[in-house]
């Protein structure tokens, strides 16, 4: 059983975590900074992601995120520590993920930087280090036959040593997607509009041809936009 997130302590698979503060939210998800408080624990900090799934589509998105993190084991892909499916007091389905805690993202680094046209990072070697790690993480995702589909600065977590991991896998899809009709092309466009951030979306996802393949190249376009933002 899992206690309500309205209480100071939540139990996931018999492990206790004390909620310290909320550190993020987006869509139907909330992220908390939590501390392990179980017997024998030494107060390690983690991130707890709570997804309130009011529709089957949201539940599928949460399951997709879990499946992706279980499937891909790579230094530069965010690992999953624990997860659980529960019902809250309102009868809504919730998905809880326990994840490593990172101090920020590439987006927070950009937000705290000197602003355009200056680079958000003071050390060029840090930029190159993060770029390489993003490429290696994305390569691992592609090697598993998946397309991330929402690569952007907010989805690259970094720690104090500028170690980077790719996160947020609710938008992933198999690749390539073969489009054979106008109806299928419109379906691809609609999904891209729902799951992909506009300023990082590849051209073929804005105006998808009626006969084409949508593959890993769309992630590479997003990667280029991400690098531009970093620099």
């Amino acid at each position: 059983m899992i206690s309500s997130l309205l209480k100071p302590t939540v139990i996931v698979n018999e492990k206790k975590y004390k909620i310290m503060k909320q550190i993020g939210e987006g869509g139907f998800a909330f992220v908390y900074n939590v501390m392990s408080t179980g017997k024998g624990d030494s107060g390690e900090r983690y991130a707890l992601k709570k997804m309130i799934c009011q529709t089957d589509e949201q539940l599928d998105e949460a399951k997709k995120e879990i499946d992706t993190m279980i499937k891909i084991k790579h230094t530069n892909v965010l690992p999953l520590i624990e997860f659980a499916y529960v019902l809250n007091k309102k009868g809504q389905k919730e998905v809880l993920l326990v994840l490593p805690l990172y101090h920020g993202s590439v987006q927070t680094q950009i937000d705290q930087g000197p602003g355009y046209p200056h680079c958000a990072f003071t050390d060029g070697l840090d930029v190159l280090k993060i770029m390489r790690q993003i490429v290696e993480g994305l390569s691992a995702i592609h090697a598993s036959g998946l397309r991330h589909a929402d690569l952007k600065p907010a989805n690259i977590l970094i720690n104090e040593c500028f170690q980077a991991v790719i996160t947020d896998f609710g938008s992933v899809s198999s690749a390539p997607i073969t489009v054979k009709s106008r109806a299928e092309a419109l379906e691809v466009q609609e999904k891209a509009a729902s799951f992909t951030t506009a300023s990082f979306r590849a051209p073929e996802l804005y105006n998808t041809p009626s006969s084409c393949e949508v593959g890993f190249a769309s992630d590479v376009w997003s990667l280029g936009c991400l690098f531009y933002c970093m620099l």
Side-chain angles (χ1 to χ4, degrees), residues 9-218:
T9 300
V10 59
I11 302 174
V12 182
N13 297 335
E14 301 183 353
K15 295 184 179 180
K16 292 184 178 181
Y17 301 92
K18 182 177 181 181
I19 298 173
M20 308 307 291
K21 62 178 179 179
Q22 182 176 326
I23 56 176
E25 66 176 280
F28 59 99
F30 300 86
V31 183
Y32 302 89
N33 179 326
V34 299
M35 180 176 66
S36 60
T37 58
K39 185 177 180 180
D41 289 344
S42 54
E44 294 89 351
R45 294 295 185 96
Y46 299 94
L48 176 69
K49 184 173 184 178
K50 177 182 74 170
M51 291 178 277
I52 303 174
C53 303
Q54 302 183 58
T55 66
D56 290 339
E57 184 179 35
Q58 291 173 336
L59 185 59
D60 288 342
E61 186 175 333
K63 290 179 178 178
K64 190 186 301 181
E65 189 159 0
I66 291 171
D67 291 343
T68 301
M69 285 188 283
I70 291 175
K71 180 178 182 179
I72 303 173
K73 305 294 184 183
H74 190 273
T75 304
N76 303 118
V77 175
L78 185 69
L80 177 62
I81 298 171
E82 300 278 354
F83 71 93
Y85 297 92
V86 299
L87 287 176
N88 62 23
K89 291 181 178 180
K90 296 181 180 179
Q92 299 168 322
K93 295 178 181 178
E94 291 186 356
V95 182
L96 304 179
L97 310 181
V98 180
L99 308 160
L101 180 65
Y102 284 78
H103 89 285
S105 67
V106 169
Q107 184 62 58
T108 57
Q109 182 74 22
I110 292 171
D111 293 341
Q112 295 168 7
Y116 181 85
H118 305 286
C119 180
F121 297 82
T122 56
D123 190 334
L125 292 179
D126 291 335
V127 178
L128 292 176
K129 180 179 180 180
I130 292 172
M131 284 180 164
R132 178 171 181 173
Q133 291 173 353
I134 295 171
V135 169
E136 291 178 349
L138 186 61
S139 179
I141 294 170
H142 289 176
S144 69
L146 298 174
R147 183 171 61 95
H148 185 277
D150 195 21
L151 203 63
K152 59 184 179 181
N155 287 338
I156 307 298
L157 301 180
I158 53 177
N159 62 18
E160 293 83 354
C161 299
F162 294 107
Q163 299 290 333
V165 293
I166 299 175
T167 186
D168 198 352
F169 303 105
S171 302
V172 297
S173 67
S174 58
I177 298 171
T178 301
V179 177
K180 298 180 180 179
S181 67
R182 184 57 185 163
E184 291 178 351
L186 291 174
E187 183 180 356
V188 169
Q189 289 179 203
E190 289 173 2
K191 286 184 177 180
S194 298
F195 293 108
T196 304
T197 304
S199 53
F200 298 87
R201 192 181 308 158
E204 64 269 24
L205 299 178
Y206 274 105
N207 187 16
T208 308
S210 299
S211 178
C212 69
E213 282 192 348
V214 177
F216 303 124
S218 62

